[in-house]
Amino acid sequence: MQSGIQSDVIVLIAACYVLYQIGYPYLRKKRWTRKKFKYDNVYTYPWFLIRQPKPDLSDPDVAIKFVQANSYSIRPIMNKGAYQVFRITERYFKEINQGHRVIPEMCMGAVLQCSNQEGFSSINSKRLDIGVINQIGNLILAIEYNGSGHYQGNASGRDAVKRMALNKARVPLIEIIPDDDDARIIEKLKRVSGIKN
């Protein structure tokens, strides 16, 4: 009886060793076999180690496939609170009549520059809720609307990055909260409307 158990253990150990020798090459990343399809940027791996690279969406041929496969619809460029601030700001600068333009959802990389690539990349994809440009197209004022859902996740960190970059570029930043009524918003705008254009 005992010798039968020992022989079963030996067989089990031998089977494990054989399976290990067969499966080991697939477990090492460098030995994964990759097959590139002729017309697609997709690689195949062993079924138990599926890891496919992200598609290169900078390639128009790849991007067009995703556009063709999905549907699109319009969405508001900003929420109601931010839009109300935008309208007040637009009306205020129209009354000043000095050729300013008010732009919603302004990309920071479009209006700020930095000679250091990492410094530029740190702000390039970030957006201002509202930007005000002067007659020659330079940013003179940034406005952020901090609504009720604003302080979620790492929002405070993103705000700190924006604030520091704007400060270094000497662009004033006005932060609006939902409790600010029209008069309070106008008051905040008046504080910076005398800046050099």
Side-chain angles (χ1 to χ4, degrees):
M1 181 71 178
Q2 195 171 13
S3 62
I5 294 174
Q6 288 177 347
S7 63
D8 289 343
V9 170
I10 292 171
V11 169
L12 181 61
I13 291 172
C16 290
Y17 177 77
V18 170
L19 288 173
Y20 173 77
Q21 290 297 322
I22 293 171
Y24 180 70
Y26 293 108
L27 295 176
R28 292 185 60 192
K29 189 174 184 179
K30 292 182 179 178
R31 293 189 184 180
W32 284 0
T33 56
R34 302 195 303 177
K35 178 183 177 184
K36 186 173 182 180
F37 288 100
K38 187 175 181 181
Y39 299 107
D40 204 350
N41 187 28
V42 177
Y43 294 95
T44 57
Y45 296 91
W47 63 270
F48 55 90
L49 292 174
I50 295 176
R51 179 187 288 179
Q52 297 183 357
K54 292 182 179 179
D56 180 14
L57 297 179
S58 64
D59 181 350
D61 293 334
V62 176
I64 196 84
K65 293 178 182 180
F66 286 92
V67 174
Q68 287 174 339
N70 291 281
S71 60
Y72 297 86
S73 61
I74 61 169
R75 69 174 184 179
I77 196 168
M78 54 179 63
N79 61 43
K80 289 181 180 179
Y83 183 63
Q84 181 64 20
V85 174
F86 172 79
R87 290 180 61 199
I88 294 168
T89 305
E90 195 174 43
R91 186 171 64 240
Y92 174 78
F93 281 99
K94 186 176 181 180
E95 289 172 2
I96 289 179
N97 195 24
Q98 293 181 2
H100 298 93
R101 296 289 181 265
V102 182
I103 302 172
E105 290 296 317
M106 178 180 279
C107 175
M108 291 185 72
V111 291
L112 297 182
Q113 60 184 355
C114 181
S115 58
N116 179 271
Q117 183 59 43
E118 286 77 14
F120 180 76
S121 297
S122 298
I123 58 101
N124 185 33
S125 62
K126 291 180 173 51
R127 294 183 176 272
L128 302 172
D129 290 335
I130 301 167
V132 180
I133 60 173
N134 62 10
Q135 303 92 327
I136 60 173
N138 290 332
L139 181 68
I140 61 164
L141 176 64
I143 302 171
E144 285 287 289
Y145 177 73
N146 301 334
S148 57
H150 179 76
Y151 300 102
Q152 295 178 355
N154 62 349
S156 60
R158 292 195 309 270
D159 286 349
V161 171
K162 291 181 188 179
R163 197 176 295 114
M164 183 178 291
L166 290 166
N167 185 48
K168 287 184 172 238
R170 297 181 181 174
V171 177
L173 171 66
I174 295 177
E175 298 188 56
I176 308 294
I177 59 173
D179 291 341
D180 290 338
D181 58 11
D182 293 13
R184 178 72 175 143
I185 295 170
I186 296 293
E187 181 186 332
K188 288 182 176 182
L189 290 169
K190 282 182 178 178
R191 289 180 192 168
V192 296
S193 61
I195 60 179
K196 294 181 180 179
N197 300 332

